[in-house]
Amino acid sequence: SQTIHQWPATLVQPVGSPLSLECTVEGTSNPNLYWYRQAAGRGLQLLFYSVGIGQISSEVPQNLSASRPQDRQFILSSKKLLLSDSGFYLCAWTAEMNTEAFFGQGTRLTVV
Amino acid sequence: RKEVEQDPGPFNVPEGATVAFNCTYSNSASQSFFWYRQDCRKEPKLLMSVYSSGNEDGRFTAQLNRASQYISLLIRDSKLSDSATYLCVVNMYFGNEKLTFGTGTRLTIIP
C-alpha cells in the first residue's frame, strides 16, 4: 500500500532563517506531488506541484521554492523565512490525473 | 467568482439530524470531484469521490449537478464524530493535475 511521510510535524523558526521540509511517498511510482499551505482558519492554497523529477509548477509568487530530486521525494525550501510564511504545510500525492489526493500529516510552521 | 466556493458555516446541527452542504465550481469543463474531511489541526482525508450518477456510502450521499455546476454532500443520522470541516475539491481542467480546494464548511454536531 502507498504511504506518504512528511516531516517535521512541528517547527518554530526565526525570521530570516532557512527552511527545508521534506516529503516522501512509498509504494507507488511517478506520483504527482503537491505542496499546499493552510493559514489559520483558511482554506488550502496550492503552492507547487510536480508531475515528474525536476518538473515544478509554481502557483503563486512567494518566498518559497520546491524541488523534486527523486521520483518520490518533494522538498519545500526557503532561503529566508518571513512572518507571513507561518502556516500548516501539507504535502500530497495523486496517482494520475483526475484521481483523489492523499495527504501527509502536515508540518505546522511558526515563524517568530 | 471563486473557482470553488463553499458556505463556510458554521453549521451547528443536533445529533441525529440530516445536514446538507453545497459547493459550486466555476469551470463547466471540470472533470473530477471529491469531498474531504478535515479534523482540527489534522490533514484532510478523502471522504468520498463524487460520480456523475451520484453515490452513497453509508450515511453519506454525494451528488453532482453539472448543469448548475455544483456538488452536494448529504449526511443522514449525524453523529458527534461527524464534527469536522468538509472540503469540496475539484479537478478544474482536463489534462491538468491541479486540484482546487474550497475553503471548507465547518460542521458541529450538538449532543
Side-chain angles (χ1 to χ4, degrees):
Chain A
S1 64
Q2 300 89 3
T3 56
I4 178 169
H5 302 280
Q6 187 183 339
W7 66 92
T10 306
L11 193 58
V12 180
Q13 291 284 98
V15 169
S17 63
L19 173 74
S20 180
L21 302 181
E22 189 165 341
C23 171
T24 59
V25 180
E26 295 178 358
T28 188
S29 296
N30 197 31
N32 299 317
L33 296 171
Y34 306 81
W35 278 110
Y36 288 89
R37 177 172 60 201
Q38 188 174 37
R42 305 285 293 276
L44 272 75
Q45 179 187 31
L46 178 62
L47 303 175
F48 302 95
Y49 70 94
S50 172
V51 300
I53 296 174
Q55 300 178 61
I56 309 294
S57 296
S58 175
E59 283 296 299
V60 294
Q62 59 205 312
N63 185 40
L64 301 167
S65 62
S67 62
R68 185 169 176 174
Q70 300 181 45
D71 180 44
R72 290 170 288 176
Q73 184 185 29
F74 205 23
I75 298 172
L76 183 69
S77 304
S78 174
K79 292 182 179 177
K80 288 186 178 181
L81 284 169
L82 305 172
L83 287 174
S84 58
D85 292 324
S86 294
F88 190 38
Y89 288 82
L90 290 154
C91 180
W93 73 276
T94 63
E96 53 191 45
M97 286 189 291
N98 301 324
T99 61
E100 61 272 20
F102 299 95
F103 286 85
Q105 292 186 323
T107 296
R108 198 160 298 278
L109 172 67
T110 303
V111 182
V112 296
Chain B
R1 181 182 178 187
K2 290 183 181 177
E3 292 183 305
V4 177
E5 199 154 4
Q6 296 181 249
D7 181 343
F11 284 58
N12 298 314
V13 174
E15 191 175 7
T18 296
V19 60
F21 310 133
N22 278 350
C23 165
T24 59
Y25 58 94
S26 61
N27 185 358
S28 60
S30 295
Q31 295 294 307
S32 308
F33 309 88
F34 310 94
W35 283 103
Y36 278 71
R37 170 195 170 124
Q38 186 175 22
D39 293 298
C40 187
R41 301 179 69 84
K42 298 287 188 180
E43 76 275 21
K45 293 185 177 178
L46 178 68
L47 179 64
M48 58 197 305
S49 303
V50 186
Y51 304 122
S52 295
S53 55
N55 47 303
E56 188 174 309
D57 182 3
R59 297 181 294 108
F60 299 84
T61 301
Q63 296 208 317
L64 167 64
N65 185 317
R66 284 195 181 274
S68 300
Q69 293 178 213
Y70 74 85
I71 65 173
S72 63
L73 178 68
L74 181 78
I75 306 175
R76 292 181 299 278
D77 187 23
S78 54
K79 312 291 185 188
L80 295 176
S81 57
D82 294 333
S83 297
T85 297
Y86 290 84
L87 303 170
C88 168
V89 185
V90 179
N91 182 299
M92 300 286 291
Y93 306 102
F94 181 77
N96 186 311
E97 295 74 17
K98 175 181 167 181
L99 292 173
T100 303
F101 283 73
T103 53
T105 298
R106 187 168 175 183
L107 172 66
T108 301
I109 305 300
I110 304 167

